[in-house]
Amino acid sequence: MIRPATEADVPELLAMVRELAEFDSLSDQCVCTEDDLHRVLFAPDALAHDTLAIAEDGSVVGHALWFRTFSTFMGKTGIWLEDLYIRPNHRRQGHAGSLMADLRARTEGRLEWEVLEWNEEAIDFYQRLGARPMAGWTRYRWVLPQP
């Protein structure tokens, strides 16, 4: 089952953010807090959304954290998928595909994301969906100093 995250899910969401950071070998960069997630997901001016994958027993087994984008060339909104994470014991059960299908149904424009080059399992999954890497584009990042 797929459902929107609620404020009560924030501790579980933060746990999955940390699990993903560990999986990606980026735990040292993961400084997100429950307050950060509350603010970005549930404040009156919330910028992001989170959709959960729920197992038959009701447990949260994965999530997709996403936000809206806009393509001036297409003249349509799209979605940027920031995180797609399925807990290891629940992979290959259709949860990631259900989350991706839910996101695809939310836009007439683009659904975009990044994947680490070493994550061949994820790359294979995305290519089975029909997604392809963006040749000719280089992503830039400008990180402001942390206070």
Side-chain angles (χ1 to χ4, degrees):
M1 176 176 75
I2 303 300
R3 71 165 172 83
T6 66
E7 289 189 68
D9 296 312
V10 167
E12 195 76 29
L13 292 173
L14 183 58
M16 288 187 289
V17 166
R18 290 179 175 156
E19 290 168 26
L20 177 59
E22 184 176 329
F23 175 80
D24 288 343
S25 298
L26 297 171
S27 293
D28 61 318
Q29 296 178 34
C30 186
V31 296
C32 187
T33 66
E34 286 188 16
D35 287 341
D36 294 329
L37 290 175
H38 274 286
R39 184 181 66 253
V40 76
L41 296 172
F42 302 107
D45 61 346
L47 298 173
H49 309 274
D50 204 294
T51 307
L52 301 178
I54 309 297
E56 288 184 19
D57 67 1
S59 63
V60 176
V61 298
H63 78 115
L65 194 144
W66 56 278
F67 55 89
R68 295 267 175 208
T69 61
F70 180 75
S71 168
T72 55
F73 290 178
M74 294 178 72
K76 296 180 186 220
T77 61
I79 289 176
W80 179 265
L81 174 59
E82 182 64 21
D83 288 344
L84 176 67
Y85 179 72
I86 305 297
R87 290 185 156 141
N89 292 344
H90 299 278
R91 293 181 184 156
R92 299 192 178 274
Q93 297 176 18
H95 300 295
S98 294
L99 285 167
M100 293 297 285
D102 176 76
L103 292 176
R104 190 66 191 109
R106 293 174 182 270
T107 182
E108 294 178 10
R110 300 172 178 154
L111 174 54
E112 300 178 291
W113 62 92
E114 293 178 333
V115 60
L116 292 168
E117 293 174 352
W118 58 261
N119 194 343
E120 293 179 22
E121 186 175 344
I123 291 167
D124 291 344
F125 167 71
Y126 296 136
Q127 289 186 348
R128 283 193 306 273
L129 292 177
R132 297 293 176 256
M134 294 293 301
W137 291 83
T138 300
R139 174 166 297 278
Y140 281 80
R141 180 175 289 165
W142 191 6
V143 179
L144 300 176
Q146 295 293 319

